[in-house]
Amino acid sequence: MADRAARLVLLAGAAALASGSQGDREPMYRDCVLQCEERNCSGGALKHFRSHQPIYMSLAGWTCPDDCKYECMWVTVGVYLQEGHKVPQFHGKVSLNAWFWSTVFHTRDTDLTEKMDYFCASTVILHSVYLCCVRTVGLQHPAVASAFRALLLLMLTAHISYLSLIRFDYGYNLAANVAIGLLNMVWWLAWCLRNQRRLPHVRKCMVVVLLLQGLSLLELLDFPPLFWVLDAHAIWHISTIPVHVLFFSFLEDDSLYLLKESEAKFKLD
């Protein structure tokens, strides 16, 4: 049992320290995307792209910037392979990993799947706090965001180590996640309230944060399953789906705003 727990800690620690999105941080990839968007995603070139885009891609919401990222990903992969390097990962999927292990755990409840479900859920919460730090502080002070990321990785490693090697304490795990969740909520809300007049789209973020915090009560205030089928945990999972759609909409709006802001600064320079 101890050996199994040790392997689990090493696996989780390696996942936490791994470079989840090395490819999209590659300067060559970023330059390629920037040049592609400047060349193909405005004016007549954009009209040409849309007129020749297959209908199924249009219905799926595939945009010109998406196409640039896809093409530049393969360009970067080709260079990595030519130089004998391992193919990098692009646009890491932290949230999808958590949903995957949640599905596995609810399909087959074992000691391993339970731990992976809990640990990946904690990772998502910490990642949300890190995302908040990057958006509110890191854009102006990257060093602060890097230091905060290191702190969060240490916290995650300590959290997993305690639960795996010392005692799997459900009460402590719940209290730790609630505390980080409250920090996440206060931080996001403070930033949103300060910027809501200048950036109207941050109201979507406010709604998301408040809804997620409210829905978390389903995890705290448990009740017998409705019709002996839907318990509080199942309803919580179902309820978070549209919330994440709204959060993606906020991220999309915010990314477009940051893109326009950077373009305006580039023109001034």
Side-chain angles (χ1 to χ4, degrees):
M1 183 64 184
D3 291 338
R4 185 179 180 185
R7 288 197 300 269
L8 182 62
V9 172
L10 290 175
L11 175 63
L17 296 173
S19 177
S21 300
Q22 178 184 348
D24 47 294
R25 292 198 301 270
E26 177 65 45
M28 180 185 66
Y29 168 79
R30 290 174 176 268
D31 291 339
C32 176
V33 172
L34 180 61
Q35 294 175 17
C36 177
E37 290 181 354
E38 291 177 348
R39 185 173 60 251
N40 300 322
C41 299
S42 61
L46 179 59
K47 292 181 181 179
H48 180 269
F49 170 82
R50 289 173 175 171
S51 64
H52 289 76
Q53 185 181 31
I55 185 64
Y56 67 89
M57 296 182 69
S58 178
L59 291 175
W62 189 263
T63 65
C64 182
D66 292 332
D67 199 69
C68 284
K69 293 175 182 177
Y70 179 77
E71 295 296 334
C72 290
M73 176 187 69
W74 287 114
V75 171
T76 307
V77 167
V79 173
Y80 265 67
L81 291 176
Q82 287 178 3
E83 297 183 355
H85 299 300
K86 183 180 178 181
V87 176
Q89 182 184 5
F90 289 81
H91 310 292
K93 305 297 189 290
V94 175
S95 293
L96 290 182
N97 183 57
W99 281 103
F100 168 78
W101 280 109
S102 178
T103 302
V104 172
F105 168 59
H106 287 83
T107 303
R108 184 70 175 91
D109 185 354
T110 67
D111 181 66
L112 176 64
T113 60
E114 180 184 42
K115 283 183 170 61
M116 291 304 297
D117 177 38
Y118 277 62
F119 296 161
C120 288
S122 298
T123 303
V124 169
I125 297 173
L126 289 172
H127 183 265
S128 181
V129 177
Y130 173 66
L131 176 63
C132 181
C133 176
V134 170
R135 180 60 184 92
T136 60
V137 179
L139 297 180
Q140 294 78 28
H141 308 283
V144 175
S146 297
F148 189 67
R149 177 180 60 186
L151 174 62
L152 292 179
L153 287 174
L154 287 174
M155 291 174 59
L156 178 63
T157 302
H159 180 72
I160 293 175
S161 299
Y162 172 75
L163 292 176
S164 299
L165 301 177
I166 300 178
R167 185 165 70 97
F168 197 85
D169 188 332
Y170 292 94
Y172 155 74
N173 181 71
L174 180 61
N177 287 328
V178 169
I180 297 298
L182 288 174
L183 171 64
N184 186 49
M185 179 190 71
V186 172
W187 196 340
W188 271 118
L189 285 180
W191 178 77
C192 290
L193 290 172
R194 190 168 62 250
N195 293 277
Q196 62 176 332
R197 292 186 179 180
R198 184 172 62 91
L199 307 174
H201 63 269
V202 303
R203 293 169 187 167
K204 294 181 180 180
C205 181
M206 294 175 63
V207 173
V208 167
V209 172
L210 292 173
L211 281 177
L212 286 177
Q213 204 63 33
L215 290 172
S216 66
L217 294 176
L218 290 170
E219 293 287 88
L220 302 176
L221 307 176
D222 202 2
F223 53 81
L226 299 176
F227 310 109
W228 302 111
V229 175
L230 295 174
D231 62 5
H233 190 67
I235 296 175
W236 173 76
H237 273 297
I238 296 171
S239 302
T240 57
I241 295 175
V243 177
H244 284 85
V245 173
L246 181 60
F247 188 59
F248 178 82
S249 177
F250 157 71
L251 294 177
E252 185 177 33
D253 292 343
D254 199 49
S255 298
L256 291 173
Y257 161 76
L258 291 174
L259 180 61
K260 291 179 180 179
E261 187 180 55
S262 63
E263 289 177 347
K265 289 181 179 178
F266 178 78
K267 290 179 181 179
L268 289 176
D269 294 338

